[in-house]
Amino acid sequence: MAEGMPTLGEMEMRVLRLVWQLQPCTERQVSDLIIAEREVARTTVLKTLQRLEAKQLLERVPDASPVQFRALVEQQSVLPTLVRRFVDDVLGGSADPLVAYFSGSGKLSPKDLTALREIARKLGEPTHE
């Protein structure tokens, strides 16, 4: 799925992230959270769920009433592709601006810092080919 991953808009990505967190979940659960964040119509969220379903990223839970959605792809398999696209398309292929942002933003939690240290440690290990 990673390389064949469809392009996602900002609203689609936000809805998909909520489904990953809440699944299985109803349109109303997702809509209520989105509407609390920004001014959008409930129909916009429903259409976004339907687009994600058409892109084969979500599916309806069989026989659920009211209709519930769940993801057809795991977050861990999608996020690396999205990050790579962001680095390639927005940052021109260099992760330097992203690293600089994180190092100067002050927005990293202790958990984020631990994860970054682990990544840096792995990058520093010699490869055995």
Side-chain angles (χ1 to χ4, degrees):
M1 168 58 79
E3 288 305 319
M5 173 75 189
T7 301
L8 296 176
E10 187 241 333
M11 176 66 89
E12 289 173 324
M13 192 63 233
R14 181 66 185 126
V15 167
L16 184 57
R17 288 183 65 218
L18 285 171
V19 173
W20 279 326
Q21 293 170 14
L22 303 170
Q23 64 183 326
C25 57
T26 65
E27 172 272 327
R28 182 151 202 111
Q29 288 174 292
V30 175
S31 292
D32 287 349
L33 291 169
I34 296 283
I35 291 168
E37 296 174 357
R38 61 186 87 178
E39 194 173 317
V40 302
R42 189 170 299 282
T43 55
T44 300
V45 178
L46 179 57
K47 287 178 184 174
T48 302
L49 285 162
Q50 291 168 341
R51 277 196 312 273
L52 290 168
E53 188 178 15
K55 291 180 179 186
Q56 298 182 343
L57 297 173
L58 296 183
E59 70 176 354
R60 293 170 193 246
V61 176
D63 303 322
S65 181
V67 173
Q68 294 185 337
F69 293 90
R70 67 178 168 216
L72 284 171
V73 293
E74 296 206 16
Q75 189 170 357
Q76 297 85 348
S77 68
V78 173
L79 291 182
T81 299
L82 296 176
V83 170
R84 185 172 53 251
R85 283 183 186 168
F86 177 79
V87 169
D88 290 345
D89 298 344
V90 176
L91 302 179
S94 172
D96 290 349
L98 187 59
V99 173
Y101 167 77
F102 283 131
S103 66
S105 72
K107 295 182 180 185
L108 295 175
S109 69
K111 182 179 175 184
D112 294 334
L113 290 171
T114 299
L116 285 173
R117 286 185 187 104
E118 180 62 18
I119 291 167
R121 186 189 65 73
K122 286 180 181 177
L123 289 172
E125 291 176 355
T127 57
H128 301 285
E129 295 181 23

